[in-house]
Amino acid sequence: MATINDVAAKAGVSTATVSRTLNGKSTVDPVLAARVQAAAAELGYHPNGLARNLRRQETAVLALIISDVENPFFTAIARGVEDIAQTAGYSVVLCNADDNEEKERRYIDVALQERVAGVVLSPTGRATNVDRLTERGTPVVAVDRPLLKNTGDQVLVDTRLAARDATRHLLDGGYRRVACVSGPPGVRTAEDRLAGYTDAVGEANALTRRAEFRAEGGRLAALSLLDEPEPPDALLIGNSTMAIGVLEALASRGLRSGQDVGIVSFDDAPWTTLIDPPLTVVAQPANEVGRVAAELLLARIGDGTRKATTTTLQAKLIVRRSSRRG
Amino acid sequence: MATINDVAAKAGVSTATVSRTLNGKSTVDPVLAARVQAAAAELGYHPNGLARNLRRQETAVLALIISDVENPFFTAIARGVEDIAQTAGYSVVLCNADDNEEKERRYIDVALQERVAGVVLSPTGRATNVDRLTERGTPVVAVDRPLLKNTGDQVLVDTRLAARDATRHLLDGGYRRVACVSGPPGVRTAEDRLAGYTDAVGEANALTRRAEFRAEGGRLAALSLLDEPEPPDALLIGNSTMAIGVLEALASRGLRSGQDVGIVSFDDAPWTTLIDPPLTVVAQPANEVGRVAAELLLARIGDGTRKATTTTLQAKLIVRRSSRRG
DNA sequence: CTGAAAGCGCTAACAT
DNA sequence: ATGTTAGCGCTTTCAG
């Protein structure tokens, strides 16, 4: 593979001139510049990014470490991050931590070793350790879930408030016994949604289940709830993936959502309008979460001294028919 | 940030010894090794991957360039690739080309510049140019869609056969006029699905629409089909994203799937069992596509002289109720 | 405006 | 078994 030396030799100039020409930093004699361009083209020269980055001590790539590539909420964040990064000339590489702390740590290591310019991260939870990144001076912004040690920028969604409002909406619709299916303990968003729910129904009336943020988790939780001596007549569900399982459980029991049990789920997945009745959801501004995160990250890359900010975005209840009787 | 020199100094050894210790290549005196480990730990030393890769001329990261992060088919591929890569000690970075040739080219450049060990790619189509990668000796495997210049490994799904069978299934079920909503011209999978459909209905009876692989594309295509003088009574749909749009269109016209118009869609998305009636689908082995691709890539990284192979996996028709009357 | 030369941090010969 | 040293390919002073 052609190196800068080959180009320089072919063009009859120094490597410095090649570098200058190709990076357009300093001004070069048009004649030499043309020779360089020609030589580079002819040789099919592609600068070695590794060498360049090693020298410059920086990279134009952002790492985005998310907890689940198969969750539409996170892929929407990814799109948001990408849109912003692209326009600023950064590439973004997506790493799927799979809600697994071990994988997350590995990807943080990769980010560190590859010396990415910055990282956007949705922390898996409890043990996420971002210190190595910050020590090294790599900017980090947390999305969706806060870091334990609140240092650095974060962009979150006010999920507690949203959960409270969604629960109240159910209560206002005449449902009497609202239960909540939330994510696993230790995951902040799961805790918050539970807390918001409890805000609305009151400690004494809380009927809850915790499960993995997956369809199977939702299914099991719903089944167990329906087997209660005094089963719920409405459910608030932690995310759209769980909702799939919950809806399956309902169907298996011959229960109609809305009619028999009111349903509100977090996340406005594309299929939610397709089912009958259409699902009432709490739509989180996922794309915007990504955009804001990327902007924050870029700002911090530009100025390491900015002080940390926390942005909290609002979710929006979209009322459809699964939360209404008849 | 601590470098190998700092560690060497602190441990009172040479950088070579530090390198040897940390990489476990050659054997080192346990006493010195311990000193090195201690020094590294104390300094919070993380090897600079850029420098290492520059020296070694290789990287333990794979790039996966896919056409759409928001399409469950591709994220399932991603999971497959990741699973295999992880166990082999490789990290994979996901790049979202967004079915956009410009972005795809940018990511190919990034892969090239960062000197990744290999790339798995679902080509956007027409103009995908992988030559720069192959010239440089970077192994590439194409998934889902073949490269124009058939060089290198590929793992595909026999989508034409699957489309033909799905169409026949509709015909066997008593539907008389089956139409096909497929993806944009130039995209191989779209062409193949159309061809398989035509195999089944015959050239003369083909009634088709081409659209973007998105919900909106599906919606418009379906509407236009329903406005035909002799509208179809069954539809074969190119992917699950389009299916969302098609189903919306049907609903807006008060048509029931199965009953009024038989439906089969490609891709077994999680929500397909939730709707009423449940959707008959052509399930593609996406996860396996990813796994096989990763294995092929790893094999080729290990042995650059292997000759190129094409693996074709079979899709499976899952019959549910959207393709049955009553 | 251009070239020479000094590294960025690391690994791999080559010596010892 | 350990240390010395020469680069990997590039950018960037520093001279000229």
PDB file of all heavy atoms in Angstrom, chain B residues 218-248:
ATOM      1  N   GLY B 218     -44.256   1.565   1.653  1.00  0.00           N
ATOM      2  CA  GLY B 218     -45.220   0.492   1.630  1.00  0.00           C
ATOM      3  C   GLY B 218     -46.645   1.022   1.582  1.00  0.00           C
ATOM      4  O   GLY B 218     -47.504   0.509   0.849  1.00  0.00           O
ATOM      5  N   ARG B 219     -46.875   2.076   2.326  1.00  0.00           N
ATOM      6  CA  ARG B 219     -48.222   2.646   2.411  1.00  0.00           C
ATOM      7  C   ARG B 219     -48.668   3.156   1.038  1.00  0.00           C
ATOM      8  O   ARG B 219     -49.749   2.798   0.537  1.00  0.00           O
ATOM      9  CB  ARG B 219     -48.232   3.798   3.409  1.00  0.00           C
ATOM     10  CG  ARG B 219     -49.589   4.080   4.050  1.00  0.00           C
ATOM     11  CD  ARG B 219     -49.484   5.167   5.098  1.00  0.00           C
ATOM     12  NE  ARG B 219     -49.051   6.432   4.491  1.00  0.00           N
ATOM     13  CZ  ARG B 219     -49.883   7.251   3.850  1.00  0.00           C
ATOM     14  NH1 ARG B 219     -51.155   6.954   3.742  1.00  0.00           N
ATOM     15  NH2 ARG B 219     -49.413   8.361   3.317  1.00  0.00           N
ATOM     16  N   LEU B 220     -47.806   3.957   0.456  1.00  0.00           N
ATOM     17  CA  LEU B 220     -48.128   4.527  -0.852  1.00  0.00           C
ATOM     18  C   LEU B 220     -48.317   3.442  -1.904  1.00  0.00           C
ATOM     19  O   LEU B 220     -49.271   3.476  -2.699  1.00  0.00           O
ATOM     20  CB  LEU B 220     -46.992   5.461  -1.286  1.00  0.00           C
ATOM     21  CG  LEU B 220     -47.136   6.955  -0.966  1.00  0.00           C
ATOM     22  CD1 LEU B 220     -48.181   7.260   0.091  1.00  0.00           C
ATOM     23  CD2 LEU B 220     -45.803   7.593  -0.637  1.00  0.00           C
ATOM     24  N   ALA B 221     -47.443   2.472  -1.890  1.00  0.00           N
ATOM     25  CA  ALA B 221     -47.528   1.403  -2.876  1.00  0.00           C
ATOM     26  C   ALA B 221     -48.849   0.654  -2.731  1.00  0.00           C
ATOM     27  O   ALA B 221     -49.536   0.363  -3.723  1.00  0.00           O
ATOM     28  CB  ALA B 221     -46.350   0.445  -2.715  1.00  0.00           C
ATOM     29  N   ALA B 222     -49.215   0.369  -1.504  1.00  0.00           N
ATOM     30  CA  ALA B 222     -50.445  -0.382  -1.272  1.00  0.00           C
ATOM     31  C   ALA B 222     -51.660   0.417  -1.737  1.00  0.00           C
ATOM     32  O   ALA B 222     -52.568  -0.104  -2.399  1.00  0.00           O
ATOM     33  CB  ALA B 222     -50.572  -0.721   0.211  1.00  0.00           C
ATOM     34  N   LEU B 223     -51.657   1.689  -1.388  1.00  0.00           N
ATOM     35  CA  LEU B 223     -52.778   2.544  -1.789  1.00  0.00           C
ATOM     36  C   LEU B 223     -52.923   2.550  -3.307  1.00  0.00           C
ATOM     37  O   LEU B 223     -54.022   2.400  -3.849  1.00  0.00           O
ATOM     38  CB  LEU B 223     -52.516   3.974  -1.290  1.00  0.00           C
ATOM     39  CG  LEU B 223     -53.288   4.504  -0.077  1.00  0.00           C
ATOM     40  CD1 LEU B 223     -53.978   3.428   0.744  1.00  0.00           C
ATOM     41  CD2 LEU B 223     -52.433   5.403   0.785  1.00  0.00           C
ATOM     42  N   SER B 224     -51.806   2.704  -3.966  1.00  0.00           N
ATOM     43  CA  SER B 224     -51.859   2.777  -5.421  1.00  0.00           C
ATOM     44  C   SER B 224     -52.347   1.459  -6.013  1.00  0.00           C
ATOM     45  O   SER B 224     -53.090   1.431  -6.998  1.00  0.00           O
ATOM     46  CB  SER B 224     -50.486   3.195  -5.951  1.00  0.00           C
ATOM     47  OG  SER B 224     -50.018   2.311  -6.924  1.00  0.00           O
ATOM     48  N   LEU B 225     -51.965   0.378  -5.382  1.00  0.00           N
ATOM     49  CA  LEU B 225     -52.410  -0.937  -5.847  1.00  0.00           C
ATOM     50  C   LEU B 225     -53.920  -1.094  -5.663  1.00  0.00           C
ATOM     51  O   LEU B 225     -54.625  -1.644  -6.529  1.00  0.00           O
ATOM     52  CB  LEU B 225     -51.678  -2.011  -5.043  1.00  0.00           C
ATOM     53  CG  LEU B 225     -50.673  -2.989  -5.672  1.00  0.00           C
ATOM     54  CD1 LEU B 225     -50.231  -2.623  -7.074  1.00  0.00           C
ATOM     55  CD2 LEU B 225     -49.492  -3.181  -4.750  1.00  0.00           C
ATOM     56  N   LEU B 226     -54.390  -0.609  -4.540  1.00  0.00           N
ATOM     57  CA  LEU B 226     -55.818  -0.767  -4.252  1.00  0.00           C
ATOM     58  C   LEU B 226     -56.673   0.096  -5.178  1.00  0.00           C
ATOM     59  O   LEU B 226     -57.883  -0.127  -5.325  1.00  0.00           O
ATOM     60  CB  LEU B 226     -56.099  -0.411  -2.788  1.00  0.00           C
ATOM     61  CG  LEU B 226     -55.479  -1.357  -1.757  1.00  0.00           C
ATOM     62  CD1 LEU B 226     -55.652  -0.825  -0.353  1.00  0.00           C
ATOM     63  CD2 LEU B 226     -56.070  -2.756  -1.880  1.00  0.00           C
ATOM     64  N   ASP B 227     -56.031   1.097  -5.763  1.00  0.00           N
ATOM     65  CA  ASP B 227     -56.762   1.963  -6.682  1.00  0.00           C
ATOM     66  C   ASP B 227     -56.752   1.451  -8.114  1.00  0.00           C
ATOM     67  O   ASP B 227     -57.322   2.072  -9.012  1.00  0.00           O
ATOM     68  CB  ASP B 227     -56.174   3.380  -6.646  1.00  0.00           C
ATOM     69  CG  ASP B 227     -56.550   4.084  -5.359  1.00  0.00           C
ATOM     70  OD1 ASP B 227     -57.554   3.680  -4.736  1.00  0.00           O
ATOM     71  OD2 ASP B 227     -55.839   5.034  -4.964  1.00  0.00           O
ATOM     72  N   GLU B 228     -56.116   0.340  -8.325  1.00  0.00           N
ATOM     73  CA  GLU B 228     -56.118  -0.272  -9.663  1.00  0.00           C
ATOM     74  C   GLU B 228     -57.565  -0.579 -10.075  1.00  0.00           C
ATOM     75  O   GLU B 228     -58.417  -0.834  -9.219  1.00  0.00           O
ATOM     76  CB  GLU B 228     -55.350  -1.602  -9.611  1.00  0.00           C
ATOM     77  CG  GLU B 228     -53.852  -1.466  -9.614  1.00  0.00           C
ATOM     78  CD  GLU B 228     -53.293  -1.255 -11.015  1.00  0.00           C
ATOM     79  OE1 GLU B 228     -53.720  -1.966 -11.935  1.00  0.00           O
ATOM     80  OE2 GLU B 228     -52.447  -0.357 -11.173  1.00  0.00           O
ATOM     81  N   PRO B 229     -57.816  -0.575 -11.363  1.00  0.00           N
ATOM     82  CA  PRO B 229     -59.145  -0.958 -11.832  1.00  0.00           C
ATOM     83  C   PRO B 229     -59.504  -2.368 -11.333  1.00  0.00           C
ATOM     84  O   PRO B 229     -60.632  -2.625 -10.925  1.00  0.00           O
ATOM     85  CB  PRO B 229     -59.019  -0.943 -13.361  1.00  0.00           C
ATOM     86  CG  PRO B 229     -57.620  -0.600 -13.696  1.00  0.00           C
ATOM     87  CD  PRO B 229     -56.910  -0.174 -12.464  1.00  0.00           C
ATOM     88  N   GLU B 230     -58.507  -3.217 -11.371  1.00  0.00           N
ATOM     89  CA  GLU B 230     -58.744  -4.571 -10.893  1.00  0.00           C
ATOM     90  C   GLU B 230     -57.789  -4.810  -9.731  1.00  0.00           C
ATOM     91  O   GLU B 230     -56.709  -5.376  -9.906  1.00  0.00           O
ATOM     92  CB  GLU B 230     -58.403  -5.551 -12.022  1.00  0.00           C
ATOM     93  CG  GLU B 230     -59.411  -6.641 -12.252  1.00  0.00           C
ATOM     94  CD  GLU B 230     -58.892  -7.570 -13.346  1.00  0.00           C
ATOM     95  OE1 GLU B 230     -58.531  -7.069 -14.432  1.00  0.00           O
ATOM     96  OE2 GLU B 230     -58.810  -8.769 -13.099  1.00  0.00           O
ATOM     97  N   PRO B 231     -58.174  -4.384  -8.555  1.00  0.00           N
ATOM     98  CA  PRO B 231     -57.236  -4.419  -7.426  1.00  0.00           C
ATOM     99  C   PRO B 231     -56.889  -5.855  -7.004  1.00  0.00           C
ATOM    100  O   PRO B 231     -57.678  -6.767  -7.201  1.00  0.00           O
ATOM    101  CB  PRO B 231     -57.991  -3.690  -6.322  1.00  0.00           C
ATOM    102  CG  PRO B 231     -59.415  -3.776  -6.677  1.00  0.00           C
ATOM    103  CD  PRO B 231     -59.496  -3.856  -8.166  1.00  0.00           C
ATOM    104  N   PRO B 232     -55.712  -6.025  -6.441  1.00  0.00           N
ATOM    105  CA  PRO B 232     -55.265  -7.344  -5.993  1.00  0.00           C
ATOM    106  C   PRO B 232     -56.057  -7.829  -4.779  1.00  0.00           C
ATOM    107  O   PRO B 232     -56.599  -7.019  -4.023  1.00  0.00           O
ATOM    108  CB  PRO B 232     -53.806  -7.098  -5.613  1.00  0.00           C
ATOM    109  CG  PRO B 232     -53.723  -5.640  -5.293  1.00  0.00           C
ATOM    110  CD  PRO B 232     -54.715  -4.969  -6.176  1.00  0.00           C
ATOM    111  N   ASP B 233     -56.132  -9.131  -4.621  1.00  0.00           N
ATOM    112  CA  ASP B 233     -56.751  -9.672  -3.404  1.00  0.00           C
ATOM    113  C   ASP B 233     -55.707 -10.316  -2.495  1.00  0.00           C
ATOM    114  O   ASP B 233     -56.040 -10.978  -1.520  1.00  0.00           O
ATOM    115  CB  ASP B 233     -57.864 -10.671  -3.764  1.00  0.00           C
ATOM    116  CG  ASP B 233     -57.331 -11.897  -4.492  1.00  0.00           C
ATOM    117  OD1 ASP B 233     -56.119 -11.931  -4.794  1.00  0.00           O
ATOM    118  OD2 ASP B 233     -58.129 -12.804  -4.770  1.00  0.00           O
ATOM    119  N   ALA B 234     -54.430 -10.119  -2.855  1.00  0.00           N
ATOM    120  CA  ALA B 234     -53.355 -10.602  -1.986  1.00  0.00           C
ATOM    121  C   ALA B 234     -52.070  -9.833  -2.308  1.00  0.00           C
ATOM    122  O   ALA B 234     -51.881  -9.359  -3.431  1.00  0.00           O
ATOM    123  CB  ALA B 234     -53.131 -12.088  -2.180  1.00  0.00           C
ATOM    124  N   LEU B 235     -51.193  -9.726  -1.291  1.00  0.00           N
ATOM    125  CA  LEU B 235     -49.972  -8.934  -1.439  1.00  0.00           C
ATOM    126  C   LEU B 235     -48.769  -9.679  -0.857  1.00  0.00           C
ATOM    127  O   LEU B 235     -48.833 -10.216   0.246  1.00  0.00           O
ATOM    128  CB  LEU B 235     -50.133  -7.636  -0.642  1.00  0.00           C
ATOM    129  CG  LEU B 235     -50.492  -6.301  -1.287  1.00  0.00           C
ATOM    130  CD1 LEU B 235     -51.249  -6.449  -2.588  1.00  0.00           C
ATOM    131  CD2 LEU B 235     -51.268  -5.436  -0.309  1.00  0.00           C
ATOM    132  N   LEU B 236     -47.683  -9.642  -1.615  1.00  0.00           N
ATOM    133  CA  LEU B 236     -46.407 -10.118  -1.090  1.00  0.00           C
ATOM    134  C   LEU B 236     -45.573  -8.864  -0.838  1.00  0.00           C
ATOM    135  O   LEU B 236     -45.384  -8.052  -1.744  1.00  0.00           O
ATOM    136  CB  LEU B 236     -45.702 -11.018  -2.102  1.00  0.00           C
ATOM    137  CG  LEU B 236     -44.285 -11.453  -1.706  1.00  0.00           C
ATOM    138  CD1 LEU B 236     -44.306 -12.335  -0.456  1.00  0.00           C
ATOM    139  CD2 LEU B 236     -43.588 -12.170  -2.860  1.00  0.00           C
ATOM    140  N   ILE B 237     -45.068  -8.729   0.371  1.00  0.00           N
ATOM    141  CA  ILE B 237     -44.405  -7.483   0.749  1.00  0.00           C
ATOM    142  C   ILE B 237     -42.926  -7.710   1.041  1.00  0.00           C
ATOM    143  O   ILE B 237     -42.555  -8.659   1.744  1.00  0.00           O
ATOM    144  CB  ILE B 237     -45.084  -6.883   1.988  1.00  0.00           C
ATOM    145  CG1 ILE B 237     -46.590  -6.765   1.734  1.00  0.00           C
ATOM    146  CG2 ILE B 237     -44.492  -5.527   2.327  1.00  0.00           C
ATOM    147  CD1 ILE B 237     -47.376  -6.483   2.985  1.00  0.00           C
ATOM    148  N   GLY B 238     -42.107  -6.797   0.541  1.00  0.00           N
ATOM    149  CA  GLY B 238     -40.655  -6.965   0.556  1.00  0.00           C
ATOM    150  C   GLY B 238     -39.931  -6.987   1.886  1.00  0.00           C
ATOM    151  O   GLY B 238     -38.892  -7.607   2.018  1.00  0.00           O
ATOM    152  N   ASN B 239     -40.441  -6.291   2.891  1.00  0.00           N
ATOM    153  CA  ASN B 239     -39.852  -6.442   4.230  1.00  0.00           C
ATOM    154  C   ASN B 239     -40.816  -5.932   5.298  1.00  0.00           C
ATOM    155  O   ASN B 239     -41.863  -5.377   4.993  1.00  0.00           O
ATOM    156  CB  ASN B 239     -38.464  -5.803   4.318  1.00  0.00           C
ATOM    157  CG  ASN B 239     -38.499  -4.305   4.517  1.00  0.00           C
ATOM    158  OD1 ASN B 239     -39.544  -3.679   4.481  1.00  0.00           O
ATOM    159  ND2 ASN B 239     -37.335  -3.723   4.704  1.00  0.00           N
ATOM    160  N   SER B 240     -40.413  -6.122   6.537  1.00  0.00           N
ATOM    161  CA  SER B 240     -41.349  -5.854   7.625  1.00  0.00           C
ATOM    162  C   SER B 240     -41.614  -4.360   7.818  1.00  0.00           C
ATOM    163  O   SER B 240     -42.661  -3.962   8.303  1.00  0.00           O
ATOM    164  CB  SER B 240     -40.850  -6.466   8.923  1.00  0.00           C
ATOM    165  OG  SER B 240     -39.667  -5.833   9.342  1.00  0.00           O
ATOM    166  N   THR B 241     -40.643  -3.569   7.435  1.00  0.00           N
ATOM    167  CA  THR B 241     -40.830  -2.132   7.568  1.00  0.00           C
ATOM    168  C   THR B 241     -41.908  -1.655   6.603  1.00  0.00           C
ATOM    169  O   THR B 241     -42.799  -0.879   6.973  1.00  0.00           O
ATOM    170  CB  THR B 241     -39.497  -1.427   7.270  1.00  0.00           C
ATOM    171  OG1 THR B 241     -38.448  -2.153   7.891  1.00  0.00           O
ATOM    172  CG2 THR B 241     -39.519  -0.021   7.792  1.00  0.00           C
ATOM    173  N   MET B 242     -41.809  -2.121   5.375  1.00  0.00           N
ATOM    174  CA  MET B 242     -42.853  -1.793   4.405  1.00  0.00           C
ATOM    175  C   MET B 242     -44.207  -2.339   4.844  1.00  0.00           C
ATOM    176  O   MET B 242     -45.249  -1.732   4.592  1.00  0.00           O
ATOM    177  CB  MET B 242     -42.547  -2.459   3.073  1.00  0.00           C
ATOM    178  CG  MET B 242     -41.387  -1.863   2.340  1.00  0.00           C
ATOM    179  SD  MET B 242     -41.216  -2.767   0.780  1.00  0.00           S
ATOM    180  CE  MET B 242     -41.073  -1.391  -0.330  1.00  0.00           C
ATOM    181  N   ALA B 243     -44.184  -3.516   5.459  1.00  0.00           N
ATOM    182  CA  ALA B 243     -45.433  -4.155   5.860  1.00  0.00           C
ATOM    183  C   ALA B 243     -46.234  -3.236   6.780  1.00  0.00           C
ATOM    184  O   ALA B 243     -47.458  -3.186   6.706  1.00  0.00           O
ATOM    185  CB  ALA B 243     -45.145  -5.484   6.546  1.00  0.00           C
ATOM    186  N   ILE B 244     -45.516  -2.515   7.622  1.00  0.00           N
ATOM    187  CA  ILE B 244     -46.212  -1.593   8.523  1.00  0.00           C
ATOM    188  C   ILE B 244     -47.054  -0.613   7.723  1.00  0.00           C
ATOM    189  O   ILE B 244     -48.240  -0.411   7.994  1.00  0.00           O
ATOM    190  CB  ILE B 244     -45.200  -0.852   9.420  1.00  0.00           C
ATOM    191  CG1 ILE B 244     -44.574  -1.837  10.401  1.00  0.00           C
ATOM    192  CG2 ILE B 244     -45.850   0.314  10.143  1.00  0.00           C
ATOM    193  CD1 ILE B 244     -43.486  -1.266  11.273  1.00  0.00           C
ATOM    194  N   GLY B 245     -46.439  -0.042   6.709  1.00  0.00           N
ATOM    195  CA  GLY B 245     -47.168   0.909   5.874  1.00  0.00           C
ATOM    196  C   GLY B 245     -48.321   0.267   5.129  1.00  0.00           C
ATOM    197  O   GLY B 245     -49.410   0.841   5.022  1.00  0.00           O
ATOM    198  N   VAL B 246     -48.097  -0.919   4.623  1.00  0.00           N
ATOM    199  CA  VAL B 246     -49.144  -1.615   3.873  1.00  0.00           C
ATOM    200  C   VAL B 246     -50.346  -1.891   4.774  1.00  0.00           C
ATOM    201  O   VAL B 246     -51.496  -1.645   4.406  1.00  0.00           O
ATOM    202  CB  VAL B 246     -48.610  -2.935   3.292  1.00  0.00           C
ATOM    203  CG1 VAL B 246     -49.745  -3.756   2.698  1.00  0.00           C
ATOM    204  CG2 VAL B 246     -47.547  -2.661   2.236  1.00  0.00           C
ATOM    205  N   LEU B 247     -50.045  -2.368   5.960  1.00  0.00           N
ATOM    206  CA  LEU B 247     -51.116  -2.689   6.898  1.00  0.00           C
ATOM    207  C   LEU B 247     -51.907  -1.436   7.276  1.00  0.00           C
ATOM    208  O   LEU B 247     -53.139  -1.473   7.427  1.00  0.00           O
ATOM    209  CB  LEU B 247     -50.510  -3.343   8.139  1.00  0.00           C
ATOM    210  CG  LEU B 247     -50.504  -4.886   8.288  1.00  0.00           C
ATOM    211  CD1 LEU B 247     -50.910  -5.639   7.040  1.00  0.00           C
ATOM    212  CD2 LEU B 247     -49.212  -5.397   8.845  1.00  0.00           C
ATOM    213  N   GLU B 248     -51.202  -0.341   7.410  1.00  0.00           N
ATOM    214  CA  GLU B 248     -51.898   0.920   7.701  1.00  0.00           C
ATOM    215  C   GLU B 248     -52.829   1.282   6.552  1.00  0.00           C
ATOM    216  O   GLU B 248     -53.968   1.709   6.764  1.00  0.00           O
ATOM    217  CB  GLU B 248     -50.885   2.048   7.921  1.00  0.00           C
ATOM    218  CG  GLU B 248     -50.200   1.992   9.275  1.00  0.00           C
ATOM    219  CD  GLU B 248     -49.034   2.976   9.371  1.00  0.00           C
ATOM    220  OE1 GLU B 248     -48.721   3.647   8.353  1.00  0.00           O
ATOM    221  OE2 GLU B 248     -48.431   3.053  10.446  1.00  0.00           O
TER     222      GLU B 248
END
